[in-house]
Amino acid sequence: DLAGEFARPACAIVKFANPAGAAWAERSGDAARLAYAADPAGCTGGVAAFNREVDADAAKVLATEYIECVVAPDYTTDALDTLRPKKDLRLVRLPSLLLSAREVDMKTISGGVLVQDRDNPTAPEHFKAVSKRSPSDLETAALDFAWRVAKHTTTFAAVLARGTATLGVAGGQATRLDAVRLAIVK
């Protein structure tokens, strides 16, 4: 779902249901490189998800790292040739969803299923600056990116981003301050 948040080629590397690194770029390979660089130790053994076809460049990035699963709409022949020899790597094609990830969220609960509206972030043009200085366009874009990543991180979450790549992600902490401290360390 996180990779699907972005209109441009994106890669989200998730471990234990939390983003370890995420980025969008002009090419999937660059997005993968930036996402993994955010927290190499945290990304190790994770799931790499793409919102575009995995090409040879993205496959070369993933081939040098320990990733347990890659999920993408499709793979080029060159990408498959690069990734198939990796031991214990699962390649999953997820061409479309039955329900749009932007519409509903379903969670299993004891004795049933909870269906609720998806928490969609506010568009940057609706952000309201409450400080003396309004954010620049670059800062607004980074905020929008970080906001979307935080949406997919367990509470309490802190996401530090520069441009369109994460620098540090921390979630599931007992306090907001602990999450910020951990994101800074990462």
Side-chain angles (χ1 to χ4, degrees):
D1 286 347
L2 174 53
E5 290 277 345
F6 306 104
R8 295 205 174 144
C11 175
I13 302 175
V14 177
K15 191 167 171 184
F16 303 122
N18 275 305
W24 68 256
E26 294 303 317
R27 297 181 12 219
S28 293
D30 293 334
R33 203 171 286 107
L34 290 167
Y36 203 91
D39 184 0
C43 290
T44 298
V47 174
F50 291 84
N51 65 351
R52 298 282 195 287
E53 177 179 69
V54 172
D55 60 14
D57 186 39
K60 286 178 190 173
V61 172
L62 299 174
T64 63
E65 308 299 347
Y66 174 56
I67 296 287
E68 289 192 359
C69 181
V70 180
V71 180
D74 208 352
Y75 301 83
T76 65
T77 302
D78 290 340
L80 290 173
D81 290 344
T82 300
L83 295 173
R84 278 193 178 134
K86 285 195 63 144
K87 185 180 176 177
D88 297 328
L89 175 65
R90 292 160 194 85
L91 302 176
V92 177
R93 275 193 184 99
L94 189 60
S96 65
L97 300 171
L98 293 175
L99 293 172
S100 170
R102 299 194 189 294
E103 294 173 10
V104 297
D105 185 24
M106 296 188 294
K107 304 277 189 215
T108 58
I109 58 173
S110 181
V113 176
L114 173 65
V115 179
Q116 59 189 5
D117 290 338
R118 175 68 66 173
D119 177 21
N120 291 315
T122 303
E125 57 271 12
H126 298 295
F127 289 169
K128 180 182 176 186
V130 295
S131 58
K132 291 180 182 177
R133 182 182 71 83
S134 293
S136 68
D137 289 345
L138 182 62
E139 291 166 332
T140 300
L143 176 61
D144 181 49
F145 173 80
W147 194 302
R148 291 171 189 274
V149 174
K151 170 184 161 185
H152 296 277
T153 307
T154 55
T155 302
F156 288 105
V159 177
L160 304 179
R162 176 180 294 136
T164 60
T166 56
L167 297 175
V169 179
Q173 301 303 306
T175 69
R176 290 176 186 93
L177 184 57
D178 288 343
V180 171
R181 286 179 179 150
L182 183 55
I184 290 169
V185 168
K186 288 184 168 286

